[in-house]
Amino acid sequence: MGTEVDDAVDTELVRDAARDFLAGCGNLDSLKDLAAMDWTGLLVDEDLGGSGWRPVESTVIAEELGRAGNVAQWLGSVTAAAALSSAPDEVRDRWLPALLDGTAAAACALAADVTRVARADAVDLVVTLGDNGIQLYENAAALPREVDDELLDVERPVWRVTLAGADSVPLGGPESADRLLAVARVLLGAESLGAMSATFERLVAYLKERIAFGAPIASFQAVQHRLVELLVFEAKARAVLMKAARALAAGDGVTPALVAHAFVATHATAAVDECMQLSGGIGFTWEYPLHHELRRVFTNASLLGTARYSRTRYAQRAGW
């Protein structure tokens, strides 16, 4: 019991430190600033310049980055850095130091002939994860690509990148890919949770100040019920993501990660949309952060596979 309490205390210390840093960071696009906090090496062994295998801390930081509206290529870079830990020495020495200090950026994607890659126009490397293991594509700028019009995030646009026929370097087998993909999905879900959490906090403050029929809107019972449902989702999502992160830290978290990803991908967009509805007309304006948070969460729900994909993989692992 004492260990669980200490773990919770340490987690909140990481959360508070990350939130304070991001609140005072003027350039949220800077991967170098995040690297200076040692956040790009959270899944890399210490003897390679990282902080060790730390999925729990990574999940907390991913949530805070999502909350702050950070659009730096952190998730792709931290995942690629983990993949490069097992790369051939020549490849690892060429790219891992640059990822750890933020001078290079990477993207993480599902393995496919044509795959979705976040900010493909701004990365040096693409790491794919799938049944063929972990593959590294070094010359990202030369890969054929086009903007994916189906996904809506204008701050972190997604591209369809053609990988068929491109040269790649194998970095690990299917088992390693499953483990790393599980981490990436948990981090992506945490980013969506952070965006929803920021939206929800802003909404509550707005409804306390907005007056209708002579009373704050937040005082109306029907509105309070809807706010409680959002609060319950936030608590559930954080609990399931942290459980998956702790399982991954212990070495066996692929199945909990599938559950966490499916849950967040299914419900996060609807939760942010509910915040938009409760915000009234202001929620639909491009100038309001909520509009962009909705686009981000919608995009995240498809970026590394959909909720249906995770449920299918879960059923396969369960032998259903």
Side-chain angles (χ1 to χ4, degrees):
M1 182 67 177
T3 301
E4 292 181 3
V5 172
D6 292 343
D7 179 53
V9 171
D10 290 344
T11 299
E12 290 310 305
L13 287 173
V14 173
R15 186 183 306 281
D16 291 343
R19 189 169 300 183
D20 289 345
F21 168 73
L22 291 169
C25 184
N27 181 10
L28 289 178
D29 278 324
S30 176
L31 191 56
K32 291 182 181 179
D33 288 341
L34 306 185
M37 295 291 289
D38 292 330
W39 288 357
T40 50
L42 287 169
L43 302 175
V44 176
D45 291 343
E46 293 181 40
D47 58 356
L48 295 176
S51 303
W53 180 251
R54 299 185 178 275
V56 174
E57 291 85 346
S58 299
T59 300
V60 173
I61 288 169
E63 182 182 340
E64 291 306 313
L65 288 168
R67 181 184 179 88
N70 184 276
V71 294
Q73 200 67 9
W74 175 80
L75 194 154
S77 293
V78 74
T79 307
L84 280 164
S85 298
S86 58
D89 291 347
E90 179 186 355
V91 177
R92 186 182 66 210
D93 293 344
R94 182 161 64 245
W95 289 111
L96 184 56
L99 288 177
L100 293 179
D101 65 18
T103 55
C108 175
L110 287 178
D113 287 344
V114 179
T115 191
R116 283 170 161 161
V117 178
R119 299 190 73 177
D121 59 329
V123 299
D124 304 288
L125 308 169
V126 175
V127 170
T128 62
L129 308 168
D131 293 335
N132 63 341
I134 305 174
Q135 300 291 328
L136 170 67
Y137 296 83
E138 295 187 75
N139 194 6
L143 297 172
R145 60 180 184 259
E146 62 180 1
V147 175
D148 189 337
D149 294 328
E150 293 181 9
L151 300 183
L152 305 176
D153 192 344
V154 295
E155 295 181 324
R156 188 189 58 189
V158 175
W159 299 67
R160 288 187 178 274
V161 176
T162 301
L163 300 178
D167 293 333
S168 65
V169 179
L171 302 183
E175 186 175 342
S176 298
D178 273 352
R179 183 186 186 213
L180 196 53
L181 182 56
V183 175
R185 284 177 174 150
V186 169
L187 298 184
L188 196 64
E191 181 186 288
S192 292
L193 173 61
M196 182 270 163
S197 179
T199 299
F200 180 63
E201 183 176 293
R202 191 186 311 112
L203 171 67
V204 172
Y206 171 76
L207 294 180
K208 286 180 178 179
E209 297 175 355
R210 183 72 173 176
I211 304 298
F213 306 105
I217 293 177
S219 67
F220 299 153
Q221 189 176 54
V223 173
Q224 291 177 350
H225 286 172
R226 293 169 73 176
L227 291 176
V228 168
E229 289 176 355
L230 289 168
L231 182 62
V232 168
F233 165 73
E234 182 183 7
K236 284 183 176 179
R238 185 169 294 116
V240 73
L241 287 166
M242 292 305 297
K243 181 176 181 178
R246 290 188 174 98
L248 286 163
D252 185 23
V254 174
T255 299
L258 289 170
V259 173
H261 177 259
F263 178 75
V264 176
T266 298
H267 298 291
T269 302
V272 179
D273 182 66
E274 175 75 343
C275 292
M276 178 177 283
Q277 297 297 325
L278 289 170
S279 297
I282 190 174
F284 291 88
T285 60
W286 275 78
E287 293 79 5
Y288 201 55
L290 194 158
H291 185 102
H292 297 280
E293 287 155 353
L294 180 62
R295 288 170 173 263
R296 170 64 50 79
V297 172
F298 175 82
T299 296
N300 285 353
S302 298
L303 196 54
L304 289 176
T306 62
R308 176 178 292 183
Y309 181 92
S310 285
R311 286 194 290 265
T312 300
R313 298 290 290 211
Y314 177 85
Q316 291 171 345
R317 292 180 68 86
W320 295 350

